[in-house]
Amino acid sequence: QVQLVESGGGLVQAGGSLRLSCTVSGLSFSIYSMGWFRRAPGKEREFVAAISRSGASTDYTDSVKGRFTISRDNAKNTAYLQMNSLKLEDTAVYYCAAKKISVDLPSRRADYWGQGTQVTVSS
């Protein structure tokens, strides 16, 4: 059974930082691109960041470039999203996703999803 479990969400003031974690079980972690998506209130889910199987390549949506960093530890079957300089508009439920991929590139698609973790940025 495949499980993606996010943690690390919470309430933070604007300008602050949070680090999300996504621990994966039930699949061969190292052959999956890992991604983070988010859904803000009243909006559709959107892509945030992705990282290739080895961690060598990353991809970010424009609104988080320079503020968010995606990483992974294949020995721990865990992906991370370091979020700095958080803004009010970053408030959303953040979802971890895994996409099986044959090349070492980040993917904006998903085969499996986590349950989500709430990030709330206050003024």
Side-chain angles (χ1 to χ4, degrees):
Q1 180 181 357
V2 177
Q3 285 191 311
L4 285 70
V5 180
E6 301 98 334
S7 60
L11 175 65
V12 63
Q13 286 192 323
S17 298
L18 281 176
R19 188 195 197 202
L20 305 183
S21 298
C22 173
T23 300
V24 180
S25 60
L27 54 76
S28 298
F29 185 73
S30 62
I31 64 171
Y32 282 77
S33 167
M34 296 300 299
W36 289 93
F37 296 73
R38 67 186 179 187
R39 176 177 283 146
K43 296 186 176 181
E44 294 188 353
R45 185 162 54 191
E46 66 171 350
F47 169 77
V48 176
I51 188 167
S52 64
R53 303 185 315 183
S54 70
S57 300
T58 56
D59 180 25
Y60 298 92
T61 192
D62 286 346
S63 62
V64 308
K65 285 180 180 177
R67 300 189 299 120
F68 290 11
T69 302
I70 188 170
S71 61
R72 65 189 293 161
D73 185 338
N74 285 354
K76 295 182 178 180
N77 283 11
T78 301
Y80 305 95
L81 186 67
Q82 177 67 44
M83 305 186 294
N84 299 329
S85 303
L86 282 161
K87 303 177 180 181
L88 296 179
E89 53 264 40
D90 294 319
T91 294
V93 177
Y94 282 73
Y95 298 89
C96 173
K99 175 62 181 174
K100 189 175 182 180
I101 189 167
S102 59
V103 294
D104 192 24
L105 291 171
S107 175
R108 295 192 176 197
R109 301 176 67 184
D111 294 327
Y112 300 101
W113 295 92
Q115 82 288 349
T117 186
Q118 176 70 47
V119 171
T120 303
V121 184
S122 65
S123 58

